[in-house]
PDB file of all heavy atoms in Angstrom:
ATOM      1  N   GLY A   1     -63.155 -12.161  -7.462  1.00 98.00           N
ATOM      2  CA  GLY A   1     -63.926 -11.294  -8.248  1.00 98.00           C
ATOM      3  C   GLY A   1     -63.675 -11.346  -9.722  1.00 98.00           C
ATOM      4  O   GLY A   1     -62.496 -11.684 -10.103  1.00 98.00           O
ATOM      5  N   GLY A   2     -64.643 -11.318 -10.547  1.00 98.00           N
ATOM      6  CA  GLY A   2     -64.306 -11.463 -12.005  1.00 98.00           C
ATOM      7  C   GLY A   2     -65.580 -11.391 -12.798  1.00 98.00           C
ATOM      8  O   GLY A   2     -66.536 -10.706 -12.486  1.00 98.00           O
ATOM      9  N   TYR A   3     -65.570 -11.983 -13.976  1.00 98.00           N
ATOM     10  CA  TYR A   3     -66.572 -11.847 -14.951  1.00 98.00           C
ATOM     11  C   TYR A   3     -66.803 -13.192 -15.648  1.00 98.00           C
ATOM     12  O   TYR A   3     -66.028 -14.019 -15.762  1.00 98.00           O
ATOM     13  CB  TYR A   3     -66.133 -10.769 -16.022  1.00 98.00           C
ATOM     14  CG  TYR A   3     -65.699  -9.502 -15.390  1.00 98.00           C
ATOM     15  CD1 TYR A   3     -64.370  -9.230 -15.117  1.00 98.00           C
ATOM     16  CD2 TYR A   3     -66.594  -8.519 -15.149  1.00 98.00           C
ATOM     17  CE1 TYR A   3     -63.929  -8.069 -14.522  1.00 98.00           C
ATOM     18  CE2 TYR A   3     -66.201  -7.298 -14.488  1.00 98.00           C
ATOM     19  CZ  TYR A   3     -64.895  -7.117 -14.212  1.00 98.00           C
ATOM     20  OH  TYR A   3     -64.529  -5.974 -13.580  1.00 98.00           O
ATOM     21  N   GLN A   4     -68.022 -13.274 -16.271  1.00 98.00           N
ATOM     22  CA  GLN A   4     -68.296 -14.288 -17.225  1.00 98.00           C
ATOM     23  C   GLN A   4     -68.287 -13.673 -18.572  1.00 98.00           C
ATOM     24  O   GLN A   4     -69.038 -12.625 -18.837  1.00 98.00           O
ATOM     25  CB  GLN A   4     -69.665 -14.929 -16.952  1.00 98.00           C
ATOM     26  CG  GLN A   4     -70.023 -16.046 -18.098  1.00 98.00           C
ATOM     27  CD  GLN A   4     -71.412 -16.584 -17.950  1.00 98.00           C
ATOM     28  OE1 GLN A   4     -72.133 -16.283 -16.961  1.00 98.00           O
ATOM     29  NE2 GLN A   4     -71.765 -17.448 -18.845  1.00 98.00           N
ATOM     30  N   LEU A   5     -67.570 -14.188 -19.525  1.00 98.00           N
ATOM     31  CA  LEU A   5     -67.433 -13.712 -20.886  1.00 98.00           C
ATOM     32  C   LEU A   5     -68.496 -14.395 -21.678  1.00 98.00           C
ATOM     33  O   LEU A   5     -68.465 -15.582 -21.909  1.00 98.00           O
ATOM     34  CB  LEU A   5     -66.066 -13.936 -21.437  1.00 98.00           C
ATOM     35  CG  LEU A   5     -65.717 -13.594 -22.929  1.00 98.00           C
ATOM     36  CD1 LEU A   5     -65.971 -12.074 -23.194  1.00 98.00           C
ATOM     37  CD2 LEU A   5     -64.302 -13.987 -23.230  1.00 98.00           C
ATOM     38  N   ILE A   6     -69.505 -13.578 -22.171  1.00 97.00           N
ATOM     39  CA  ILE A   6     -70.621 -14.176 -22.954  1.00 97.00           C
ATOM     40  C   ILE A   6     -70.498 -13.611 -24.356  1.00 97.00           C
ATOM     41  O   ILE A   6     -70.704 -12.372 -24.649  1.00 97.00           O
ATOM     42  CB  ILE A   6     -71.944 -13.748 -22.346  1.00 97.00           C
ATOM     43  CG1 ILE A   6     -71.987 -14.237 -20.859  1.00 97.00           C
ATOM     44  CG2 ILE A   6     -73.142 -14.409 -23.124  1.00 97.00           C
ATOM     45  CD1 ILE A   6     -73.205 -13.762 -20.037  1.00 97.00           C
ATOM     46  N   VAL A   7     -70.100 -14.515 -25.314  1.00 96.00           N
ATOM     47  CA  VAL A   7     -70.017 -14.087 -26.633  1.00 96.00           C
ATOM     48  C   VAL A   7     -71.363 -14.125 -27.377  1.00 96.00           C
ATOM     49  O   VAL A   7     -72.009 -15.204 -27.465  1.00 96.00           O
ATOM     50  CB  VAL A   7     -68.975 -14.963 -27.371  1.00 96.00           C
ATOM     51  CG1 VAL A   7     -68.883 -14.546 -28.894  1.00 96.00           C
ATOM     52  CG2 VAL A   7     -67.661 -14.994 -26.689  1.00 96.00           C
ATOM     53  N   ASN A   8     -71.837 -12.947 -27.977  1.00 93.00           N
ATOM     54  CA  ASN A   8     -73.153 -12.960 -28.646  1.00 93.00           C
ATOM     55  C   ASN A   8     -72.992 -12.777 -30.122  1.00 93.00           C
ATOM     56  O   ASN A   8     -74.030 -12.803 -30.879  1.00 93.00           O
ATOM     57  CB  ASN A   8     -73.974 -11.978 -28.113  1.00 93.00           C
ATOM     58  CG  ASN A   8     -73.403 -10.552 -27.953  1.00 93.00           C
ATOM     59  OD1 ASN A   8     -72.484 -10.299 -28.659  1.00 93.00           O
ATOM     60  ND2 ASN A   8     -73.908  -9.723 -27.011  1.00 93.00           N
ATOM     61  N   ARG A   9     -71.742 -12.639 -30.657  1.00 93.00           N
ATOM     62  CA  ARG A   9     -71.486 -12.496 -32.085  1.00 93.00           C
ATOM     63  C   ARG A   9     -70.265 -13.375 -32.316  1.00 93.00           C
ATOM     64  O   ARG A   9     -69.155 -12.737 -32.575  1.00 93.00           O
ATOM     65  CB  ARG A   9     -71.349 -11.073 -32.538  1.00 93.00           C
ATOM     66  CG  ARG A   9     -72.642 -10.226 -32.344  1.00 93.00           C
ATOM     67  CD  ARG A   9     -72.470  -8.801 -32.853  1.00 93.00           C
ATOM     68  NE  ARG A   9     -72.295  -8.747 -34.351  1.00 93.00           N
ATOM     69  CZ  ARG A   9     -72.096  -7.710 -35.062  1.00 93.00           C
ATOM     70  NH1 ARG A   9     -71.914  -6.578 -34.453  1.00 93.00           N
ATOM     71  NH2 ARG A   9     -71.982  -7.766 -36.408  1.00 93.00           N
ATOM     72  N   LYS A  10     -70.453 -14.603 -32.475  1.00 92.00           N
ATOM     73  CA  LYS A  10     -69.321 -15.541 -32.581  1.00 92.00           C
ATOM     74  C   LYS A  10     -68.455 -15.340 -33.792  1.00 92.00           C
ATOM     75  O   LYS A  10     -67.149 -15.475 -33.725  1.00 92.00           O
ATOM     76  CB  LYS A  10     -69.802 -16.911 -32.531  1.00 92.00           C
ATOM     77  CG  LYS A  10     -70.413 -17.364 -31.169  1.00 92.00           C
ATOM     78  CD  LYS A  10     -71.037 -18.722 -31.149  1.00 92.00           C
ATOM     79  CE  LYS A  10     -71.627 -19.157 -29.862  1.00 92.00           C
ATOM     80  NZ  LYS A  10     -72.216 -20.454 -29.925  1.00 92.00           N
ATOM     81  N   LYS A  11     -69.127 -14.929 -34.908  1.00 91.00           N
ATOM     82  CA  LYS A  11     -68.348 -14.793 -36.168  1.00 91.00           C
ATOM     83  C   LYS A  11     -67.584 -13.504 -36.132  1.00 91.00           C
ATOM     84  O   LYS A  11     -66.596 -13.357 -36.967  1.00 91.00           O
ATOM     85  CB  LYS A  11     -69.342 -14.836 -37.344  1.00 91.00           C
ATOM     86  CG  LYS A  11     -69.859 -16.258 -37.585  1.00 91.00           C
ATOM     87  CD  LYS A  11     -70.608 -16.278 -38.884  1.00 91.00           C
ATOM     88  CE  LYS A  11     -71.257 -17.642 -39.152  1.00 91.00           C
ATOM     89  NZ  LYS A  11     -72.063 -17.702 -40.337  1.00 91.00           N
ATOM     90  N   LYS A  12     -67.891 -12.634 -35.239  1.00 95.00           N
ATOM     91  CA  LYS A  12     -67.186 -11.252 -35.259  1.00 95.00           C
ATOM     92  C   LYS A  12     -66.136 -11.111 -34.081  1.00 95.00           C
ATOM     93  O   LYS A  12     -65.154 -10.409 -34.205  1.00 95.00           O
ATOM     94  CB  LYS A  12     -68.200 -10.124 -35.230  1.00 95.00           C
ATOM     95  CG  LYS A  12     -69.083 -10.024 -36.433  1.00 95.00           C
ATOM     96  CD  LYS A  12     -68.304  -9.475 -37.606  1.00 95.00           C
ATOM     97  CE  LYS A  12     -69.234  -9.254 -38.817  1.00 95.00           C
ATOM     98  NZ  LYS A  12     -68.496  -8.715 -39.971  1.00 95.00           N
ATOM     99  N   PHE A  13     -66.423 -11.780 -33.036  1.00 97.00           N
ATOM    100  CA  PHE A  13     -65.643 -11.797 -31.855  1.00 97.00           C
ATOM    101  C   PHE A  13     -64.263 -12.239 -32.025  1.00 97.00           C
ATOM    102  O   PHE A  13     -64.036 -13.348 -32.582  1.00 97.00           O
ATOM    103  CB  PHE A  13     -66.259 -12.482 -30.696  1.00 97.00           C
ATOM    104  CG  PHE A  13     -65.546 -12.349 -29.361  1.00 97.00           C
ATOM    105  CD1 PHE A  13     -65.318 -11.151 -28.801  1.00 97.00           C
ATOM    106  CD2 PHE A  13     -65.047 -13.536 -28.794  1.00 97.00           C
ATOM    107  CE1 PHE A  13     -64.653 -11.079 -27.507  1.00 97.00           C
ATOM    108  CE2 PHE A  13     -64.315 -13.470 -27.672  1.00 97.00           C
ATOM    109  CZ  PHE A  13     -64.140 -12.205 -26.936  1.00 97.00           C
ATOM    110  N   HIS A  14     -63.214 -11.506 -31.623  1.00 98.00           N
ATOM    111  CA  HIS A  14     -61.797 -11.800 -31.772  1.00 98.00           C
ATOM    112  C   HIS A  14     -61.269 -12.028 -30.257  1.00 98.00           C
ATOM    113  O   HIS A  14     -60.931 -11.117 -29.588  1.00 98.00           O
ATOM    114  CB  HIS A  14     -61.020 -10.675 -32.463  1.00 98.00           C
ATOM    115  CG  HIS A  14     -59.668 -11.105 -32.922  1.00 98.00           C
ATOM    116  ND1 HIS A  14     -58.674 -11.553 -32.121  1.00 98.00           N
ATOM    117  CD2 HIS A  14     -59.194 -11.099 -34.140  1.00 98.00           C
ATOM    118  CE1 HIS A  14     -57.570 -11.725 -32.829  1.00 98.00           C
ATOM    119  NE2 HIS A  14     -57.914 -11.520 -34.081  1.00 98.00           N
ATOM    120  N   SER A  15     -61.293 -13.355 -29.993  1.00 98.00           N
ATOM    121  CA  SER A  15     -60.973 -13.717 -28.521  1.00 98.00           C
ATOM    122  C   SER A  15     -59.561 -13.332 -28.182  1.00 98.00           C
ATOM    123  O   SER A  15     -59.340 -12.888 -27.037  1.00 98.00           O
ATOM    124  CB  SER A  15     -61.132 -15.186 -28.436  1.00 98.00           C
ATOM    125  OG  SER A  15     -60.718 -15.613 -27.165  1.00 98.00           O
ATOM    126  N   LEU A  16     -58.572 -13.438 -29.055  1.00 98.00           N
ATOM    127  CA  LEU A  16     -57.204 -13.123 -28.688  1.00 98.00           C
ATOM    128  C   LEU A  16     -57.011 -11.681 -28.480  1.00 98.00           C
ATOM    129  O   LEU A  16     -56.411 -11.259 -27.459  1.00 98.00           O
ATOM    130  CB  LEU A  16     -56.271 -13.599 -29.753  1.00 98.00           C
ATOM    131  CG  LEU A  16     -54.834 -13.406 -29.551  1.00 98.00           C
ATOM    132  CD1 LEU A  16     -54.349 -14.266 -28.325  1.00 98.00           C
ATOM    133  CD2 LEU A  16     -53.957 -13.897 -30.722  1.00 98.00           C
ATOM    134  N   LEU A  17     -57.614 -10.795 -29.188  1.00 98.00           N
ATOM    135  CA  LEU A  17     -57.495  -9.369 -29.073  1.00 98.00           C
ATOM    136  C   LEU A  17     -58.126  -8.913 -27.713  1.00 98.00           C
ATOM    137  O   LEU A  17     -57.615  -8.142 -26.912  1.00 98.00           O
ATOM    138  CB  LEU A  17     -58.149  -8.589 -30.204  1.00 98.00           C
ATOM    139  CG  LEU A  17     -57.302  -8.436 -31.479  1.00 98.00           C
ATOM    140  CD1 LEU A  17     -57.997  -7.852 -32.577  1.00 98.00           C
ATOM    141  CD2 LEU A  17     -56.111  -7.559 -31.269  1.00 98.00           C
ATOM    142  N   PHE A  18     -59.270  -9.518 -27.467  1.00 98.00           N
ATOM    143  CA  PHE A  18     -59.972  -9.196 -26.169  1.00 98.00           C
ATOM    144  C   PHE A  18     -59.040  -9.592 -24.943  1.00 98.00           C
ATOM    145  O   PHE A  18     -58.837  -8.850 -24.110  1.00 98.00           O
ATOM    146  CB  PHE A  18     -61.288  -9.897 -25.999  1.00 98.00           C
ATOM    147  CG  PHE A  18     -61.863  -9.866 -24.665  1.00 98.00           C
ATOM    148  CD1 PHE A  18     -62.463  -8.605 -24.215  1.00 98.00           C
ATOM    149  CD2 PHE A  18     -61.703 -10.823 -23.758  1.00 98.00           C
ATOM    150  CE1 PHE A  18     -62.879  -8.586 -22.861  1.00 98.00           C
ATOM    151  CE2 PHE A  18     -62.136 -10.761 -22.466  1.00 98.00           C
ATOM    152  CZ  PHE A  18     -62.759  -9.585 -21.984  1.00 98.00           C
ATOM    153  N   SER A  19     -58.562 -10.807 -25.019  1.00 98.00           N
ATOM    154  CA  SER A  19     -57.787 -11.269 -23.854  1.00 98.00           C
ATOM    155  C   SER A  19     -56.503 -10.535 -23.601  1.00 98.00           C
ATOM    156  O   SER A  19     -56.143 -10.295 -22.460  1.00 98.00           O
ATOM    157  CB  SER A  19     -57.601 -12.749 -23.980  1.00 98.00           C
ATOM    158  OG  SER A  19     -58.761 -13.502 -24.004  1.00 98.00           O
ATOM    159  N   LEU A  20     -55.841 -10.194 -24.750  1.00 98.00           N
ATOM    160  CA  LEU A  20     -54.636  -9.376 -24.593  1.00 98.00           C
ATOM    161  C   LEU A  20     -54.923  -8.023 -24.077  1.00 98.00           C
ATOM    162  O   LEU A  20     -54.267  -7.563 -23.111  1.00 98.00           O
ATOM    163  CB  LEU A  20     -53.967  -9.280 -25.888  1.00 98.00           C
ATOM    164  CG  LEU A  20     -53.251 -10.584 -26.445  1.00 98.00           C
ATOM    165  CD1 LEU A  20     -52.898 -10.419 -27.906  1.00 98.00           C
ATOM    166  CD2 LEU A  20     -52.001 -10.943 -25.523  1.00 98.00           C
ATOM    167  N   TYR A  21     -56.044  -7.475 -24.517  1.00 98.00           N
ATOM    168  CA  TYR A  21     -56.420  -6.067 -23.994  1.00 98.00           C
ATOM    169  C   TYR A  21     -56.807  -6.163 -22.575  1.00 98.00           C
ATOM    170  O   TYR A  21     -56.483  -5.360 -21.789  1.00 98.00           O
ATOM    171  CB  TYR A  21     -57.634  -5.552 -24.872  1.00 98.00           C
ATOM    172  CG  TYR A  21     -58.253  -4.327 -24.372  1.00 98.00           C
ATOM    173  CD1 TYR A  21     -57.665  -3.148 -24.756  1.00 98.00           C
ATOM    174  CD2 TYR A  21     -59.369  -4.371 -23.622  1.00 98.00           C
ATOM    175  CE1 TYR A  21     -58.237  -1.846 -24.254  1.00 98.00           C
ATOM    176  CE2 TYR A  21     -59.922  -3.159 -23.231  1.00 98.00           C
ATOM    177  CZ  TYR A  21     -59.363  -1.923 -23.501  1.00 98.00           C
ATOM    178  OH  TYR A  21     -60.015  -0.694 -23.112  1.00 98.00           O
ATOM    179  N   MET A  22     -57.553  -7.293 -22.184  1.00 98.00           N
ATOM    180  CA  MET A  22     -57.972  -7.432 -20.801  1.00 98.00           C
ATOM    181  C   MET A  22     -56.773  -7.674 -19.878  1.00 98.00           C
ATOM    182  O   MET A  22     -56.765  -7.030 -18.805  1.00 98.00           O
ATOM    183  CB  MET A  22     -58.952  -8.595 -20.764  1.00 98.00           C
ATOM    184  CG  MET A  22     -59.482  -8.951 -19.447  1.00 98.00           C
ATOM    185  SD  MET A  22     -58.518 -10.191 -18.575  1.00 98.00           S
ATOM    186  CE  MET A  22     -58.848 -11.662 -19.656  1.00 98.00           C
ATOM    187  N   ILE A  23     -55.831  -8.497 -20.263  1.00 98.00           N
ATOM    188  CA  ILE A  23     -54.725  -8.780 -19.353  1.00 98.00           C
ATOM    189  C   ILE A  23     -53.862  -7.424 -19.115  1.00 98.00           C
ATOM    190  O   ILE A  23     -53.523  -7.171 -18.015  1.00 98.00           O
ATOM    191  CB  ILE A  23     -53.821  -9.817 -20.059  1.00 98.00           C
ATOM    192  CG1 ILE A  23     -54.497 -11.204 -19.998  1.00 98.00           C
ATOM    193  CG2 ILE A  23     -52.459  -9.921 -19.302  1.00 98.00           C
ATOM    194  CD1 ILE A  23     -53.814 -12.253 -20.801  1.00 98.00           C
ATOM    195  N   ARG A  24     -53.649  -6.708 -20.263  1.00 98.00           N
ATOM    196  CA  ARG A  24     -52.922  -5.485 -19.991  1.00 98.00           C
ATOM    197  C   ARG A  24     -53.665  -4.509 -19.177  1.00 98.00           C
ATOM    198  O   ARG A  24     -53.127  -3.795 -18.264  1.00 98.00           O
ATOM    199  CB  ARG A  24     -52.625  -4.848 -21.381  1.00 98.00           C
ATOM    200  CG  ARG A  24     -51.924  -3.503 -21.371  1.00 98.00           C
ATOM    201  CD  ARG A  24     -51.343  -3.162 -22.640  1.00 98.00           C
ATOM    202  NE  ARG A  24     -51.197  -1.658 -22.839  1.00 98.00           N
ATOM    203  CZ  ARG A  24     -50.506  -1.031 -23.773  1.00 98.00           C
ATOM    204  NH1 ARG A  24     -49.983  -1.835 -24.786  1.00 98.00           N
ATOM    205  NH2 ARG A  24     -50.397   0.203 -23.908  1.00 98.00           N
ATOM    206  N   THR A  25     -54.928  -4.432 -19.326  1.00 98.00           N
ATOM    207  CA  THR A  25     -55.908  -3.559 -18.519  1.00 98.00           C
ATOM    208  C   THR A  25     -55.789  -3.870 -17.062  1.00 98.00           C
ATOM    209  O   THR A  25     -55.651  -3.078 -16.204  1.00 98.00           O
ATOM    210  CB  THR A  25     -57.241  -3.538 -19.050  1.00 98.00           C
ATOM    211  OG1 THR A  25     -57.235  -3.066 -20.425  1.00 98.00           O
ATOM    212  CG2 THR A  25     -58.116  -2.465 -18.258  1.00 98.00           C
ATOM    213  N   ILE A  26     -55.993  -5.220 -16.781  1.00 98.00           N
ATOM    214  CA  ILE A  26     -56.004  -5.712 -15.445  1.00 98.00           C
ATOM    215  C   ILE A  26     -54.628  -5.393 -14.760  1.00 98.00           C
ATOM    216  O   ILE A  26     -54.511  -5.001 -13.588  1.00 98.00           O
ATOM    217  CB  ILE A  26     -56.318  -7.214 -15.297  1.00 98.00           C
ATOM    218  CG1 ILE A  26     -57.753  -7.450 -15.898  1.00 98.00           C
ATOM    219  CG2 ILE A  26     -56.120  -7.695 -13.873  1.00 98.00           C
ATOM    220  CD1 ILE A  26     -58.823  -6.923 -14.939  1.00 98.00           C
ATOM    221  N   ARG A  27     -53.593  -5.615 -15.514  1.00 97.00           N
ATOM    222  CA  ARG A  27     -52.179  -5.378 -15.006  1.00 97.00           C
ATOM    223  C   ARG A  27     -52.015  -3.951 -14.682  1.00 97.00           C
ATOM    224  O   ARG A  27     -51.431  -3.526 -13.594  1.00 97.00           O
ATOM    225  CB  ARG A  27     -51.111  -5.843 -16.016  1.00 97.00           C
ATOM    226  CG  ARG A  27     -49.736  -5.710 -15.489  1.00 97.00           C
ATOM    227  CD  ARG A  27     -48.814  -6.068 -16.601  1.00 97.00           C
ATOM    228  NE  ARG A  27     -47.403  -6.031 -16.189  1.00 97.00           N
ATOM    229  CZ  ARG A  27     -46.344  -5.921 -16.837  1.00 97.00           C
ATOM    230  NH1 ARG A  27     -46.419  -5.777 -18.168  1.00 97.00           N
ATOM    231  NH2 ARG A  27     -45.164  -5.911 -16.261  1.00 97.00           N
ATOM    232  N   GLU A  28     -52.586  -2.980 -15.493  1.00 97.00           N
ATOM    233  CA  GLU A  28     -52.446  -1.529 -15.254  1.00 97.00           C
ATOM    234  C   GLU A  28     -53.303  -1.119 -13.976  1.00 97.00           C
ATOM    235  O   GLU A  28     -52.948  -0.278 -13.183  1.00 97.00           O
ATOM    236  CB  GLU A  28     -52.855  -0.834 -16.481  1.00 97.00           C
ATOM    237  CG  GLU A  28     -51.884  -0.966 -17.594  1.00 97.00           C
ATOM    238  CD  GLU A  28     -52.455  -0.347 -18.928  1.00 97.00           C
ATOM    239  OE1 GLU A  28     -53.653   0.003 -19.035  1.00 97.00           O
ATOM    240  OE2 GLU A  28     -51.661  -0.307 -19.895  1.00 97.00           O
ATOM    241  N   GLN A  29     -54.464  -1.865 -13.875  1.00 97.00           N
ATOM    242  CA  GLN A  29     -55.368  -1.475 -12.785  1.00 97.00           C
ATOM    243  C   GLN A  29     -54.920  -2.000 -11.388  1.00 97.00           C
ATOM    244  O   GLN A  29     -55.080  -1.386 -10.377  1.00 97.00           O
ATOM    245  CB  GLN A  29     -56.795  -2.086 -12.990  1.00 97.00           C
ATOM    246  CG  GLN A  29     -57.431  -1.393 -14.163  1.00 97.00           C
ATOM    247  CD  GLN A  29     -58.247  -0.100 -13.668  1.00 97.00           C
ATOM    248  OE1 GLN A  29     -58.778  -0.229 -12.557  1.00 97.00           O
ATOM    249  NE2 GLN A  29     -58.335   0.824 -14.505  1.00 97.00           N
ATOM    250  N   TYR A  30     -54.225  -3.215 -11.491  1.00 98.00           N
ATOM    251  CA  TYR A  30     -53.754  -3.832 -10.270  1.00 98.00           C
ATOM    252  C   TYR A  30     -52.244  -4.183 -10.332  1.00 98.00           C
ATOM    253  O   TYR A  30     -51.900  -5.365 -10.380  1.00 98.00           O
ATOM    254  CB  TYR A  30     -54.569  -5.072  -9.956  1.00 98.00           C
ATOM    255  CG  TYR A  30     -56.047  -4.856  -9.856  1.00 98.00           C
ATOM    256  CD1 TYR A  30     -56.920  -5.003 -10.915  1.00 98.00           C
ATOM    257  CD2 TYR A  30     -56.670  -4.466  -8.608  1.00 98.00           C
ATOM    258  CE1 TYR A  30     -58.295  -4.835 -10.806  1.00 98.00           C
ATOM    259  CE2 TYR A  30     -57.924  -4.134  -8.518  1.00 98.00           C
ATOM    260  CZ  TYR A  30     -58.851  -4.357  -9.534  1.00 98.00           C
ATOM    261  OH  TYR A  30     -60.171  -4.039  -9.385  1.00 98.00           O
ATOM    262  N   PRO A  31     -51.427  -3.226 -10.424  1.00 97.00           N
ATOM    263  CA  PRO A  31     -50.016  -3.449 -10.683  1.00 97.00           C
ATOM    264  C   PRO A  31     -49.264  -4.167  -9.632  1.00 97.00           C
ATOM    265  O   PRO A  31     -48.309  -4.891  -9.895  1.00 97.00           O
ATOM    266  CB  PRO A  31     -49.465  -1.967 -10.889  1.00 97.00           C
ATOM    267  CG  PRO A  31     -50.340  -1.099 -10.179  1.00 97.00           C
ATOM    268  CD  PRO A  31     -51.705  -1.693 -10.293  1.00 97.00           C
ATOM    269  N   LYS A  32     -49.781  -3.969  -8.340  1.00 98.00           N
ATOM    270  CA  LYS A  32     -49.045  -4.714  -7.276  1.00 98.00           C
ATOM    271  C   LYS A  32     -49.558  -6.114  -7.040  1.00 98.00           C
ATOM    272  O   LYS A  32     -48.884  -7.000  -6.488  1.00 98.00           O
ATOM    273  CB  LYS A  32     -49.332  -3.874  -5.966  1.00 98.00           C
ATOM    274  CG  LYS A  32     -48.615  -2.545  -5.859  1.00 98.00           C
ATOM    275  CD  LYS A  32     -48.894  -1.845  -4.552  1.00 98.00           C
ATOM    276  CE  LYS A  32     -48.142  -0.449  -4.593  1.00 98.00           C
ATOM    277  NZ  LYS A  32     -48.414   0.269  -3.352  1.00 98.00           N
ATOM    278  N   GLN A  33     -50.758  -6.408  -7.427  1.00 98.00           N
ATOM    279  CA  GLN A  33     -51.343  -7.757  -7.282  1.00 98.00           C
ATOM    280  C   GLN A  33     -51.216  -8.666  -8.453  1.00 98.00           C
ATOM    281  O   GLN A  33     -50.983  -9.850  -8.360  1.00 98.00           O
ATOM    282  CB  GLN A  33     -52.844  -7.577  -6.905  1.00 98.00           C
ATOM    283  CG  GLN A  33     -53.054  -6.886  -5.610  1.00 98.00           C
ATOM    284  CD  GLN A  33     -53.474  -5.450  -5.873  1.00 98.00           C
ATOM    285  OE1 GLN A  33     -52.997  -4.860  -6.732  1.00 98.00           O
ATOM    286  NE2 GLN A  33     -54.388  -4.946  -4.994  1.00 98.00           N
ATOM    287  N   PHE A  34     -51.306  -8.107  -9.610  1.00 98.00           N
ATOM    288  CA  PHE A  34     -51.186  -8.957 -10.883  1.00 98.00           C
ATOM    289  C   PHE A  34     -49.728  -9.493 -11.062  1.00 98.00           C
ATOM    290  O   PHE A  34     -48.783  -8.713 -10.714  1.00 98.00           O
ATOM    291  CB  PHE A  34     -51.537  -8.080 -12.077  1.00 98.00           C
ATOM    292  CG  PHE A  34     -51.333  -8.842 -13.397  1.00 98.00           C
ATOM    293  CD1 PHE A  34     -52.419  -9.692 -13.934  1.00 98.00           C
ATOM    294  CD2 PHE A  34     -50.169  -8.817 -14.105  1.00 98.00           C
ATOM    295  CE1 PHE A  34     -52.270 -10.359 -15.161  1.00 98.00           C
ATOM    296  CE2 PHE A  34     -49.946  -9.524 -15.259  1.00 98.00           C
ATOM    297  CZ  PHE A  34     -50.961 -10.306 -15.833  1.00 98.00           C
ATOM    298  N   ALA A  35     -49.566 -10.656 -11.470  1.00 98.00           N
ATOM    299  CA  ALA A  35     -48.222 -11.230 -11.809  1.00 98.00           C
ATOM    300  C   ALA A  35     -48.405 -12.258 -12.951  1.00 98.00           C
ATOM    301  O   ALA A  35     -49.460 -12.916 -13.127  1.00 98.00           O
ATOM    302  CB  ALA A  35     -47.684 -11.825 -10.443  1.00 98.00           C
ATOM    303  N   TYR A  36     -47.243 -12.535 -13.563  1.00 98.00           N
ATOM    304  CA  TYR A  36     -47.139 -13.619 -14.470  1.00 98.00           C
ATOM    305  C   TYR A  36     -46.756 -14.894 -13.787  1.00 98.00           C
ATOM    306  O   TYR A  36     -45.966 -14.843 -12.767  1.00 98.00           O
ATOM    307  CB  TYR A  36     -46.204 -13.232 -15.595  1.00 98.00           C
ATOM    308  CG  TYR A  36     -46.736 -12.240 -16.527  1.00 98.00           C
ATOM    309  CD1 TYR A  36     -46.117 -11.010 -16.747  1.00 98.00           C
ATOM    310  CD2 TYR A  36     -47.848 -12.430 -17.286  1.00 98.00           C
ATOM    311  CE1 TYR A  36     -46.647  -9.966 -17.527  1.00 98.00           C
ATOM    312  CE2 TYR A  36     -48.390 -11.472 -18.239  1.00 98.00           C
ATOM    313  CZ  TYR A  36     -47.662 -10.230 -18.384  1.00 98.00           C
ATOM    314  OH  TYR A  36     -48.152  -9.234 -19.105  1.00 98.00           O
ATOM    315  N   HIS A  37     -47.225 -16.037 -14.287  1.00 95.00           N
ATOM    316  CA  HIS A  37     -46.835 -17.334 -13.807  1.00 95.00           C
ATOM    317  C   HIS A  37     -45.356 -17.581 -14.002  1.00 95.00           C
ATOM    318  O   HIS A  37     -44.882 -17.286 -14.991  1.00 95.00           O
ATOM    319  CB  HIS A  37     -47.581 -18.379 -14.441  1.00 95.00           C
ATOM    320  CG  HIS A  37     -47.224 -19.874 -14.070  1.00 95.00           C
ATOM    321  ND1 HIS A  37     -47.605 -20.446 -13.058  1.00 95.00           N
ATOM    322  CD2 HIS A  37     -46.398 -20.704 -14.848  1.00 95.00           C
ATOM    323  CE1 HIS A  37     -47.042 -21.653 -12.956  1.00 95.00           C
ATOM    324  NE2 HIS A  37     -46.333 -21.830 -14.037  1.00 95.00           N
ATOM    325  N   GLN A  38     -44.717 -18.042 -12.872  1.00 93.00           N
ATOM    326  CA  GLN A  38     -43.329 -18.370 -12.924  1.00 93.00           C
ATOM    327  C   GLN A  38     -43.065 -19.888 -12.756  1.00 93.00           C
ATOM    328  O   GLN A  38     -43.958 -20.493 -12.239  1.00 93.00           O
ATOM    329  CB  GLN A  38     -42.572 -17.639 -11.869  1.00 93.00           C
ATOM    330  CG  GLN A  38     -42.693 -16.095 -11.971  1.00 93.00           C
ATOM    331  CD  GLN A  38     -42.078 -15.442 -13.248  1.00 93.00           C
ATOM    332  OE1 GLN A  38     -41.063 -15.905 -13.730  1.00 93.00           O
ATOM    333  NE2 GLN A  38     -42.754 -14.523 -13.821  1.00 93.00           N
ATOM    334  N   GLY A  39     -41.957 -20.367 -13.139  1.00 90.00           N
ATOM    335  CA  GLY A  39     -41.735 -21.785 -12.997  1.00 90.00           C
ATOM    336  C   GLY A  39     -42.004 -22.621 -14.314  1.00 90.00           C
ATOM    337  O   GLY A  39     -42.280 -22.107 -15.268  1.00 90.00           O
ATOM    338  N   ILE A  40     -41.871 -23.921 -14.106  1.00 90.00           N
ATOM    339  CA  ILE A  40     -42.025 -24.843 -15.262  1.00 90.00           C
ATOM    340  C   ILE A  40     -43.414 -24.844 -15.792  1.00 90.00           C
ATOM    341  O   ILE A  40     -44.436 -24.877 -14.970  1.00 90.00           O
ATOM    342  CB  ILE A  40     -41.645 -26.224 -14.843  1.00 90.00           C
ATOM    343  CG1 ILE A  40     -40.124 -26.304 -14.445  1.00 90.00           C
ATOM    344  CG2 ILE A  40     -41.936 -27.328 -15.900  1.00 90.00           C
ATOM    345  CD1 ILE A  40     -39.680 -27.560 -13.912  1.00 90.00           C
TER     346      ILE A  40
END
């Protein structure tokens, strides 16, 4: 399950801020399933 990210205002959109906010939100919503990559 997921989403397609469709940018409609390229000059205004801040990709990094969105992705950090999204990762933190997903982690909070799914604390038992979400994980960070481990290993090399």
Side-chain angles (χ1 to χ4, degrees):
Y3 308 92
Q4 179 186 355
L5 174 58
I6 303 171
V7 179
N8 53 23
R9 296 184 67 187
K10 293 176 181 177
K11 291 185 178 181
K12 295 290 186 180
F13 180 64
H14 197 295
S15 176
L16 185 61
L17 278 172
F18 167 78
S19 297
L20 289 167
Y21 175 81
M22 178 267 291
I23 290 170
R24 177 164 156 171
T25 302
I26 296 292
R27 186 185 182 200
E28 291 169 351
Q29 289 275 324
Y30 301 98
K32 294 182 180 180
Q33 296 99 328
F34 176 90
Y36 288 115
H37 172 81
Q38 302 297 319
I40 296 174

